[in-house]
Amino acid sequence: MATMTHDTQARRRLGNGLLLAALSASSFGLAGALARGLMNAGWSPAAVVIVRVLLGALVLLPVAVVQLHGNWNLLRRNIPLLAGYGLLAVAGAQLSYFNAVAHMDVGVALLIEYTAPIAVIAWLWLRHAQKPGRITVLGSLIGIAGLILVLDLRSDVPTSWIGVLWALGAMVGAAAYFILSGSAGDAVPGTVLATSGLLVGGLGVLIAGLLGVVPLHATTDNVAFEGFTAQWWQPLLALGVVTAAVAYVTGIAATRLLGSRLASFAALTEVLAAILFAWALLGQAPHAIQLVGGALILLGVVVVRLGEPEQTPAEPTLSEPH
């Protein structure tokens, strides 16, 4: 009876985690098409990021305050976690990515950033002695192969080593997102972690813009999408509520249910979601090879799941720091 109960709980945990991961990936995937529309209308990338993350923080703030129950000591005890999440997983990833695309093709920069699951596996192995099995390695290779096809990279794109370094910085930020989302366990509620990270990250990008690290400019011109035009505040509202508030909270919840390794691979479906949203909103139709790549990404996620060790619901996602 105890075994059946454990199996039922494990299946429910897996199912809920994958649903949350799919919602998070879809929400994050919408950001690219909305942001591209705003940038075509005259917004700088940094300005879009600042409004997106600070608006997301504003939406989540009342829920985070309720979850704290007046326990402000919880924030003080976890300042390193909250600061690291905001500066690495939010601000660092965003700033590094936009600096990367200033020096190289967007697809190449995105490919480098989305090697983050490999970094997550390496971190879990080196830091927490969670050595990946052969099946996990196979799933990793399948997922990365699918990602290459989805990005549909051209072989004649010149390589910028400055851009590569910035893209590697974005990869570190993306890996930090999964690792820090899981390492908090239940000590810091997910909404509190997301809100704090968005506030720190948004203020970090704002400071970087004021210092001239990234350009800051915006307009109130209408934003043109495929077949319709929106007022400037409408895509911004969607960016803040959907691609920031919803995306980060569901992503943290998914990571705590699935573990950093599986969650990082499930998030690869964000690339496929981004292509579909770009098709619908920007008229950028995916190629057949990209659809094949999307299928390989999903297959890679399934294979990685098969290579995951069984965990009981009471076990932490990651080992406690040594």
Side-chain angles (χ1 to χ4, degrees):
M1 182 65 67
T3 300
M4 293 179 62
T5 301
H6 171 266
D7 290 343
T8 300
Q9 291 176 341
R11 286 194 295 269
R12 184 181 298 113
R13 184 182 181 90
L14 173 62
N16 292 339
L18 290 175
L19 286 175
L20 288 169
L23 178 57
S24 178
S26 299
S27 301
F28 276 124
L30 177 61
L34 295 178
R36 179 59 181 269
L38 285 163
M39 287 186 282
N40 288 343
W43 284 68
S44 68
V48 175
V49 170
I50 291 169
V51 176
R52 173 193 176 192
V53 298
L54 290 183
L55 179 57
L58 182 62
V59 171
L60 295 177
L61 186 59
V63 180
V65 171
V66 171
Q67 283 191 345
L68 277 174
H69 299 294
N71 185 14
W72 300 106
N73 287 329
L74 181 64
L75 296 180
R76 286 191 288 270
R77 292 196 306 267
N78 290 278
I79 286 177
L81 169 66
L82 302 178
Y85 188 86
L87 295 177
L88 288 175
V90 179
Q94 295 288 341
L95 282 177
S96 296
Y97 175 71
F98 286 125
N99 276 283
V101 299
H103 292 90
M104 65 195 307
D105 185 86
V106 173
V108 177
L110 193 59
L111 173 61
I112 296 173
E113 179 181 2
Y114 271 82
T115 57
I118 304 300
V120 171
I121 290 176
W123 171 263
L124 294 176
W125 185 3
L126 297 174
R127 178 65 174 173
H128 301 284
Q130 297 182 16
K131 183 178 179 180
R134 294 180 179 179
I135 296 178
T136 298
V137 173
L138 176 61
S140 303
L141 296 176
I142 293 174
I144 296 302
L147 188 58
I148 292 173
L149 295 181
V150 165
L151 292 172
D152 195 17
L153 299 177
R154 298 171 298 172
S155 60
D156 59 345
V157 175
T159 300
S160 166
W161 292 110
I162 295 178
V164 168
L165 291 176
W166 277 115
L168 287 173
M171 179 271 289
V172 171
Y177 166 78
F178 296 107
I179 293 170
L180 294 177
S181 293
S183 65
D186 294 327
V188 179
T191 303
V192 175
L193 177 60
T195 304
S196 303
L198 290 171
L199 281 172
V200 173
L203 293 175
V205 177
L206 177 60
I207 292 173
L210 295 176
L211 293 176
V213 177
V214 290
L216 284 180
H217 51 81
T219 72
T220 56
D221 296 341
N222 288 339
V223 181
F225 293 104
E226 182 71 10
F228 69 97
T229 301
Q231 298 183 39
W232 62 272
W233 60 268
Q234 292 172 324
L236 283 175
L237 183 63
L239 279 168
V241 175
V242 178
T243 76
V246 173
Y248 276 97
V249 168
T250 54
I252 291 171
T255 302
R256 293 180 176 180
L257 288 171
L258 299 176
S260 298
R261 180 161 47 193
L262 179 56
S264 66
F265 277 89
L268 290 175
T269 56
E270 177 191 336
V271 181
L272 181 59
I275 289 177
L276 294 177
F277 281 123
W279 186 6
L281 296 178
L282 303 175
Q284 300 175 355
H287 300 156
I289 193 172
Q290 293 176 310
L291 299 178
V292 173
L296 285 178
I297 289 175
L298 296 177
L299 177 61
V301 171
V302 172
V303 174
V304 168
R305 168 56 193 165
L306 294 176
E308 283 287 286
E310 291 295 329
Q311 293 179 332
T312 63
E315 290 177 342
T317 300
L318 297 175
S319 303
E320 292 299 321
H322 296 159

